């Protein structure tokens, strides 16, 4: 059983488009996260929700908007995609303060 | 600003060698340090360290934390080609859920 699953795995789209990535976890965790991993493999947190409440909101362009409909789901919507948005986006979940479990990532490529 | 620094950035060894990966941190209200292994997809959790001087071990991998000197090491003995991966170190400052990652060490184990 997949613990943290993201869809889609790959996303290839044009500059200026709007796209969404979905994440679901079946581990019963209360906290979910979005990370961006750049070409140098550096992982940086973007957002986190704890029990559907936004608790981490890093310096991210407001074209990025997370949404958590319930504790098991966290989606990421990106408006007006730019070349610099190309990266791998990872979803993760945990009990707050405990090890985070990561999904397999969504590789976003902007043409 | 909170930061985690890993060294070396990359390492090439031969099967059977022992390697030591380093991680130093400067983190406000430090709570714990975590190690992850990333192969092609999701980072997978290895260890979480909260107390100084207590070694955690899993098979050929072990890790220890020094809270006085603000660093941790990850040891891998009798390396195998399957150990080839990026090893990520991360620190939790306080209990906000915000993991600060280092830039990773890329390990290549040659047959």
């Amino acid at each position: 059983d997949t613990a943290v699953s993201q869809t889609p795995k790959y996303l290839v789209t044009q500059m200026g488009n709007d796209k969404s990535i979905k994440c679901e976890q079946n581990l019963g965790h209360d906290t979910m996260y979005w990370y961006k991993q750049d070409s140098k493999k550096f992982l940086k947190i973007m957002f986190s929700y704890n029990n559907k409440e936004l608790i981490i909101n890093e310096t991210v362009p407001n074209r990025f908007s997370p949404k958590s409909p319930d504790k098991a789901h966290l989606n990421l919507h990106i408006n007006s995609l730019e070349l610099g948005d190309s990266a791998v986006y990872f979803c993760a979940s945990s009990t707050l303060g405990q090890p985070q479990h990561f999904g397999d990532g969504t590789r976003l490529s902007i043409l | 600003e909170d930061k985690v620094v890993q060294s070396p950035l990359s390492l090439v060894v031969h099967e059977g060698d022992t390697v030591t990966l380093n991680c130093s941190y400067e983190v406000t209200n430090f709570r714990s340090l975590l190690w992850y292994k990333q192969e092609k997809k999701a980072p997978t959790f290895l260890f979480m360290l909260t107390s100084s001087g207590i070694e955690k071990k899993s098979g050929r991998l072990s890790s220890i934390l020094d809270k006085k000197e603000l660093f941790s090491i990850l040891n891998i003995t009798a390396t195998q080609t399957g150990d080839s991966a990026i090893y990520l170190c991360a620190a939790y400052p306080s209990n906000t859920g915000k993991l600060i990652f280092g830039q990773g060490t890329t390990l290549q184990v040659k047959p």
Side-chain angles (χ1 to χ4, degrees):
Chain A
D1 281 346
T2 303
V4 181
S5 59
Q6 309 179 214
T7 54
K9 294 188 189 309
Y10 299 94
L11 198 45
V12 181
T13 190
Q14 304 254 354
M15 255 187 358
N17 284 350
D18 303 338
K19 290 292 178 187
S20 291
I21 308 171
K22 296 187 174 184
C23 180
E24 176 180 2
Q25 56 97 3
N26 62 5
L27 296 167
H29 291 153
D30 58 5
T31 310
M32 295 185 73
Y33 313 82
W34 279 113
Y35 286 85
K36 180 179 181 181
Q37 189 172 46
D38 61 23
S39 56
K40 293 184 179 177
K41 303 297 183 185
F42 185 62
L43 259 176
K44 187 164 169 45
I45 186 142
M46 300 171 67
F47 303 104
S48 176
Y49 274 78
N50 174 254
N51 288 316
K52 300 197 298 175
E53 181 186 343
L54 183 65
I55 60 169
I56 297 172
N57 186 359
E58 292 294 289
T59 309
V60 174
N62 58 15
R63 298 181 294 102
F64 290 78
S65 52
K67 188 168 284 186
S68 182
D70 57 57
K71 286 197 308 182
H73 295 85
L74 179 61
N75 303 323
L76 182 66
H77 188 76
I78 316 169
N79 288 326
S80 303
L81 280 157
E82 300 178 358
L83 285 174
D85 298 333
S86 295
V88 181
Y89 292 85
F90 283 99
C91 175
S93 74
S94 75
T95 300
L96 198 61
Q98 294 302 306
Q100 295 179 19
H101 297 261
F102 287 79
D104 282 344
T106 296
R107 184 173 294 278
L108 174 63
S109 299
I110 311 300
L111 303 178
Chain B
E1 185 184 341
D2 294 333
K3 65 179 179 181
V4 174
V5 177
Q6 294 184 243
S7 64
L9 294 182
S10 64
L11 194 53
V12 180
V13 300
H14 287 92
E15 272 193 315
D17 289 349
T18 293
V19 298
T20 298
L21 309 184
N22 303 296
C23 175
S24 64
Y25 61 91
E26 290 179 32
V27 163
T28 312
N29 297 323
F30 171 83
R31 289 184 67 88
S32 56
L33 188 131
L34 292 83
W35 284 96
Y36 285 84
K37 176 183 182 182
Q38 185 176 20
E39 296 175 87
K40 293 190 176 169
K41 294 185 177 178
T44 53
F45 170 70
L46 294 174
F47 299 111
M48 180 170 174
L49 304 149
T50 54
S51 301
S52 258
I54 298 175
E55 185 183 56
K56 291 218 172 179
K57 200 169 168 64
S58 175
R60 295 176 295 101
L61 277 65
S62 63
S63 184
I64 198 160
L65 175 67
D66 185 328
K67 289 168 77 171
K68 184 179 175 186
E69 300 297 330
L70 307 183
F71 79 90
S72 174
I73 59 172
L74 175 69
N75 276 324
I76 309 175
T77 58
T79 51
Q80 303 171 357
T81 54
D83 295 326
S84 296
I86 299 171
Y87 289 84
L88 298 165
C89 172
Y92 264 134
S94 73
N95 203 26
T96 63
K98 180 179 175 179
L99 260 183
I100 310 294
F101 277 88
Q103 66 274 61
T105 294
T106 301
L107 174 66
Q108 183 185 359
V109 181
K110 293 187 170 182

